[in-house]
Amino acid sequence: MFTTKGSVKTEKAAKYLVQLCKHFAHKVEVDLGETTGNVAFPMGPCVITAHEDRLTFDGQSHKPEGIESMKGVIIIHLDKFAWREAPLDYQWEDGETPDV
């Protein structure tokens, strides 16, 4: 399983969490809580979490291309929603875990 852990600093994390999840819910299954959103992307699941000063992303995919696609979808949409804060500084750490 391929993984990614990402983060981006923003003072509006809670607002962007809701915007992202509501937008993604038009096409995929989303479970939105107070501070987290579980998004069932076609390439794999991603948990988006709003912290006081940042958004974090914890995604998984069976293929490395899925991770790149997931990151691209998140970046494209968050950049649109947060255009007043541009440019956002995304930090990503990709990895691989053994399939169980």
Side-chain angles (χ1 to χ4, degrees):
M1 183 70 68
F2 296 89
T3 63
T4 191
K5 292 187 182 293
S7 69
V8 63
K9 290 185 180 182
T10 176
E11 297 300 318
K12 298 178 180 174
K15 173 186 174 183
Y16 296 142
L17 169 69
V18 171
Q19 281 184 293
L20 285 169
C21 288
K22 284 186 175 183
H23 181 78
F24 294 147
H26 292 287
K27 295 205 173 193
V28 298
E29 187 175 327
V30 173
D31 182 20
L32 177 60
E34 273 193 46
T35 59
T36 61
N38 295 296
V39 182
F41 288 120
M43 66 288 282
C46 183
V47 178
I48 305 172
T49 305
H51 303 270
E52 192 171 304
D53 63 344
R54 70 192 186 289
L55 271 176
T56 59
F57 311 95
D58 188 358
Q60 299 178 348
S61 182
H62 289 288
K63 298 180 181 180
E65 305 85 44
I67 292 297
E68 292 307 311
S69 178
M70 181 184 298
K71 292 189 306 188
V73 167
I74 291 168
I75 290 168
I76 287 169
H77 288 88
L78 185 53
D79 281 354
K80 285 180 184 177
F81 296 139
W83 62 272
R84 288 181 183 93
E85 294 188 51
L88 294 174
D89 183 23
Y90 295 90
Q91 303 296 315
W92 298 99
E93 185 177 320
D94 297 343
E96 189 175 352
T97 59
D99 288 332
V100 179

